Amino acid sequence: MTQDLFGDMTDDRRTGRELLCADAVLLRGFATQDAPAILEAVAQVAAQAPFRQMTTPGGFRMSVAMTNCGPLGWVTDRRGYRYASRDPVSDLPWPAMPEVLQSLAQRAAAQAGFDYFMPDACLINRYEPGARMSLHQDKDEPDFSQPIVSISLGLPAIFLFGGLRREDKPLRMPLLHGDAVVWGGSARLRYHGITPLKQGSHPLTGDCRVNLTFRKAS
Ligand code: SIN
Ligand code: FE2
């Protein structure tokens, strides 16, 4: 089983904080208790705005399937990366951000020292085995004073957390079910990514990993 790689760290009672660098914090187990409610909210969002694999401006189909909720959603196609108020598949507004997600993001940000975080975009990523996210910066938002809050559920993954230049050697951190990562301030534009997901099975998500990233995108 993939989870055995991480030994005792799969224990659902893991909590605590790990400083990744100045202004970047990993909150172990932050969302574990709320995970069933979060996943229920994700299922409701996906019923209105189904997961889809988007295309990069360069013409590649992303391995990660995505959807969004909140006033703005992150999208990519041949025209570029951007935030949009409507789902390009249905041309409907993105589903509203469920209260359980909004409050989770605000609490995670506050625990990491970023008070008054008001996300208006929640990108939901679904990784199946083999899916990956190459190193990138989150830089499509106009206001870099606001942090990024990232919540991991289901199968574990290796998070790459690099520097401000693509060449900087990234840290490799296992992210497990319930973990939150918050980065902002001087860390806001750090490169990050996810190595190809290993096969496995999680009681709440089956054979996938679900990641939610919250941003202030206006
Ligand atoms: C992202 O950078 O959008 C996703 C990161 C993750 O899946 O943990
Ligand atoms: Fe990102």
PDB file of all heavy atoms in Angstrom, residues 184-200:
ATOM      1  N   GLY A 184       2.334  32.568   1.629  1.00  0.00           N
ATOM      2  CA  GLY A 184       2.012  33.950   1.272  1.00  0.00           C
ATOM      3  C   GLY A 184       3.218  34.824   1.531  1.00  0.00           C
ATOM      4  O   GLY A 184       4.340  34.322   1.663  1.00  0.00           O
ATOM      5  N   GLY A 185       2.985  36.125   1.610  1.00  0.00           N
ATOM      6  CA  GLY A 185       4.080  37.055   1.909  1.00  0.00           C
ATOM      7  C   GLY A 185       5.283  36.827   1.018  1.00  0.00           C
ATOM      8  O   GLY A 185       5.157  36.751  -0.209  1.00  0.00           O
ATOM      9  N   SER A 186       6.452  36.638   1.651  1.00  0.00           N
ATOM     10  CA  SER A 186       7.693  36.477   0.884  1.00  0.00           C
ATOM     11  C   SER A 186       7.747  35.133   0.155  1.00  0.00           C
ATOM     12  O   SER A 186       8.611  34.925  -0.692  1.00  0.00           O
ATOM     13  CB  SER A 186       8.894  36.601   1.825  1.00  0.00           C
ATOM     14  OG  SER A 186       8.835  35.586   2.811  1.00  0.00           O
ATOM     15  N   ALA A 187       6.831  34.209   0.495  1.00  0.00           N
ATOM     16  CA  ALA A 187       6.804  32.880  -0.143  1.00  0.00           C
ATOM     17  C   ALA A 187       5.735  32.789  -1.229  1.00  0.00           C
ATOM     18  O   ALA A 187       5.608  31.750  -1.881  1.00  0.00           O
ATOM     19  CB  ALA A 187       6.556  31.799   0.900  1.00  0.00           C
ATOM     20  N   ARG A 188       4.994  33.857  -1.419  1.00  0.00           N
ATOM     21  CA  ARG A 188       3.793  33.793  -2.257  1.00  0.00           C
ATOM     22  C   ARG A 188       4.072  33.303  -3.681  1.00  0.00           C
ATOM     23  O   ARG A 188       3.231  32.608  -4.283  1.00  0.00           O
ATOM     24  CB  ARG A 188       3.145  35.192  -2.291  1.00  0.00           C
ATOM     25  CG  ARG A 188       1.924  35.359  -3.161  1.00  0.00           C
ATOM     26  CD  ARG A 188       0.768  34.497  -2.715  1.00  0.00           C
ATOM     27  NE  ARG A 188      -0.421  34.735  -3.546  1.00  0.00           N
ATOM     28  CZ  ARG A 188      -0.551  34.343  -4.812  1.00  0.00           C
ATOM     29  NH1 ARG A 188       0.442  33.677  -5.401  1.00  0.00           N
ATOM     30  NH2 ARG A 188      -1.654  34.590  -5.480  1.00  0.00           N
ATOM     31  N   LEU A 189       5.239  33.646  -4.226  1.00  0.00           N
ATOM     32  CA  LEU A 189       5.517  33.283  -5.624  1.00  0.00           C
ATOM     33  C   LEU A 189       6.498  32.114  -5.745  1.00  0.00           C
ATOM     34  O   LEU A 189       7.142  31.933  -6.783  1.00  0.00           O
ATOM     35  CB  LEU A 189       6.017  34.504  -6.391  1.00  0.00           C
ATOM     36  CG  LEU A 189       4.927  35.564  -6.656  1.00  0.00           C
ATOM     37  CD1 LEU A 189       5.525  36.817  -7.312  1.00  0.00           C
ATOM     38  CD2 LEU A 189       3.799  35.012  -7.533  1.00  0.00           C
ATOM     39  N   ARG A 190       6.583  31.317  -4.684  1.00  0.00           N
ATOM     40  CA  ARG A 190       7.463  30.149  -4.782  1.00  0.00           C
ATOM     41  C   ARG A 190       6.906  29.120  -5.762  1.00  0.00           C
ATOM     42  O   ARG A 190       5.706  28.883  -5.821  1.00  0.00           O
ATOM     43  CB  ARG A 190       7.640  29.510  -3.405  1.00  0.00           C
ATOM     44  CG  ARG A 190       8.628  30.297  -2.555  1.00  0.00           C
ATOM     45  CD  ARG A 190       9.021  29.509  -1.331  1.00  0.00           C
ATOM     46  NE  ARG A 190       9.982  30.249  -0.564  1.00  0.00           N
ATOM     47  CZ  ARG A 190      11.266  29.870  -0.383  1.00  0.00           C
ATOM     48  NH1 ARG A 190      11.706  28.751  -0.906  1.00  0.00           N
ATOM     49  NH2 ARG A 190      12.071  30.618   0.329  1.00  0.00           N
ATOM     50  N   TYR A 191       7.822  28.520  -6.515  1.00  0.00           N
ATOM     51  CA  TYR A 191       7.446  27.435  -7.416  1.00  0.00           C
ATOM     52  C   TYR A 191       6.999  26.224  -6.600  1.00  0.00           C
ATOM     53  O   TYR A 191       7.539  25.955  -5.518  1.00  0.00           O
ATOM     54  CB  TYR A 191       8.633  27.047  -8.306  1.00  0.00           C
ATOM     55  CG  TYR A 191       8.789  27.966  -9.488  1.00  0.00           C
ATOM     56  CD1 TYR A 191       9.501  29.156  -9.380  1.00  0.00           C
ATOM     57  CD2 TYR A 191       8.204  27.643 -10.708  1.00  0.00           C
ATOM     58  CE1 TYR A 191       9.630  30.011 -10.469  1.00  0.00           C
ATOM     59  CE2 TYR A 191       8.330  28.491 -11.806  1.00  0.00           C
ATOM     60  CZ  TYR A 191       9.043  29.671 -11.674  1.00  0.00           C
ATOM     61  OH  TYR A 191       9.156  30.515 -12.752  1.00  0.00           O
ATOM     62  N   HIS A 192       6.002  25.501  -7.105  1.00  0.00           N
ATOM     63  CA  HIS A 192       5.525  24.295  -6.424  1.00  0.00           C
ATOM     64  C   HIS A 192       4.919  23.347  -7.446  1.00  0.00           C
ATOM     65  O   HIS A 192       4.591  23.752  -8.572  1.00  0.00           O
ATOM     66  CB  HIS A 192       4.516  24.660  -5.328  1.00  0.00           C
ATOM     67  CG  HIS A 192       3.341  25.427  -5.837  1.00  0.00           C
ATOM     68  ND1 HIS A 192       3.401  26.782  -6.117  1.00  0.00           N
ATOM     69  CD2 HIS A 192       2.089  25.030  -6.188  1.00  0.00           C
ATOM     70  CE1 HIS A 192       2.229  27.172  -6.586  1.00  0.00           C
ATOM     71  NE2 HIS A 192       1.416  26.134  -6.650  1.00  0.00           N
ATOM     72  N   GLY A 193       4.760  22.087  -7.034  1.00  0.00           N
ATOM     73  CA  GLY A 193       4.188  21.087  -7.931  1.00  0.00           C
ATOM     74  C   GLY A 193       3.933  19.796  -7.179  1.00  0.00           C
ATOM     75  O   GLY A 193       4.131  19.719  -5.953  1.00  0.00           O
ATOM     76  N   ILE A 194       3.486  18.793  -7.920  1.00  0.00           N
ATOM     77  CA  ILE A 194       3.153  17.475  -7.343  1.00  0.00           C
ATOM     78  C   ILE A 194       3.756  16.403  -8.249  1.00  0.00           C
ATOM     79  O   ILE A 194       3.563  16.444  -9.474  1.00  0.00           O
ATOM     80  CB  ILE A 194       1.609  17.305  -7.267  1.00  0.00           C
ATOM     81  CG1 ILE A 194       0.991  18.264  -6.236  1.00  0.00           C
ATOM     82  CG2 ILE A 194       1.215  15.864  -6.963  1.00  0.00           C
ATOM     83  CD1 ILE A 194       1.212  17.893  -4.776  1.00  0.00           C
ATOM     84  N   THR A 195       4.492  15.445  -7.657  1.00  0.00           N
ATOM     85  CA  THR A 195       5.067  14.360  -8.468  1.00  0.00           C
ATOM     86  C   THR A 195       3.943  13.376  -8.854  1.00  0.00           C
ATOM     87  O   THR A 195       2.878  13.383  -8.236  1.00  0.00           O
ATOM     88  CB  THR A 195       6.191  13.618  -7.711  1.00  0.00           C
ATOM     89  OG1 THR A 195       5.614  12.927  -6.606  1.00  0.00           O
ATOM     90  CG2 THR A 195       7.271  14.582  -7.206  1.00  0.00           C
ATOM     91  N   PRO A 196       4.163  12.536  -9.855  1.00  0.00           N
ATOM     92  CA  PRO A 196       3.078  11.645 -10.315  1.00  0.00           C
ATOM     93  C   PRO A 196       2.495  10.824  -9.157  1.00  0.00           C
ATOM     94  O   PRO A 196       3.227  10.232  -8.357  1.00  0.00           O
ATOM     95  CB  PRO A 196       3.778  10.753 -11.337  1.00  0.00           C
ATOM     96  CG  PRO A 196       4.883  11.613 -11.874  1.00  0.00           C
ATOM     97  CD  PRO A 196       5.376  12.415 -10.696  1.00  0.00           C
ATOM     98  N   LEU A 197       1.164  10.849  -9.059  1.00  0.00           N
ATOM     99  CA  LEU A 197       0.480  10.178  -7.945  1.00  0.00           C
ATOM    100  C   LEU A 197       0.683   8.670  -8.039  1.00  0.00           C
ATOM    101  O   LEU A 197       0.543   8.072  -9.103  1.00  0.00           O
ATOM    102  CB  LEU A 197      -1.020  10.498  -7.992  1.00  0.00           C
ATOM    103  CG  LEU A 197      -1.751  10.207  -6.687  1.00  0.00           C
ATOM    104  CD1 LEU A 197      -1.526  11.336  -5.697  1.00  0.00           C
ATOM    105  CD2 LEU A 197      -3.245   9.997  -6.915  1.00  0.00           C
ATOM    106  N   LYS A 198       1.006   8.072  -6.879  1.00  0.00           N
ATOM    107  CA  LYS A 198       1.138   6.615  -6.800  1.00  0.00           C
ATOM    108  C   LYS A 198      -0.243   5.990  -6.637  1.00  0.00           C
ATOM    109  O   LYS A 198      -1.145   6.592  -6.071  1.00  0.00           O
ATOM    110  CB  LYS A 198       1.999   6.237  -5.586  1.00  0.00           C
ATOM    111  CG  LYS A 198       3.433   6.730  -5.659  1.00  0.00           C
ATOM    112  CD  LYS A 198       4.317   5.657  -6.259  1.00  0.00           C
ATOM    113  CE  LYS A 198       5.798   5.917  -6.061  1.00  0.00           C
ATOM    114  NZ  LYS A 198       6.256   7.187  -6.633  1.00  0.00           N
ATOM    115  N   GLN A 199      -0.331   4.749  -7.127  1.00  0.00           N
ATOM    116  CA  GLN A 199      -1.585   4.019  -6.983  1.00  0.00           C
ATOM    117  C   GLN A 199      -1.901   3.770  -5.505  1.00  0.00           C
ATOM    118  O   GLN A 199      -0.989   3.675  -4.692  1.00  0.00           O
ATOM    119  CB  GLN A 199      -1.410   2.655  -7.656  1.00  0.00           C
ATOM    120  CG  GLN A 199      -2.618   2.172  -8.374  1.00  0.00           C
ATOM    121  CD  GLN A 199      -2.318   1.906  -9.833  1.00  0.00           C
ATOM    122  OE1 GLN A 199      -1.242   1.410 -10.159  1.00  0.00           O
ATOM    123  NE2 GLN A 199      -3.259   2.239 -10.688  1.00  0.00           N
ATOM    124  N   GLY A 200      -3.152   3.658  -5.164  1.00  0.00           N
ATOM    125  CA  GLY A 200      -3.531   3.335  -3.796  1.00  0.00           C
ATOM    126  C   GLY A 200      -5.029   3.426  -3.654  1.00  0.00           C
ATOM    127  O   GLY A 200      -5.747   3.634  -4.635  1.00  0.00           O
TER     128      GLY A 200
END
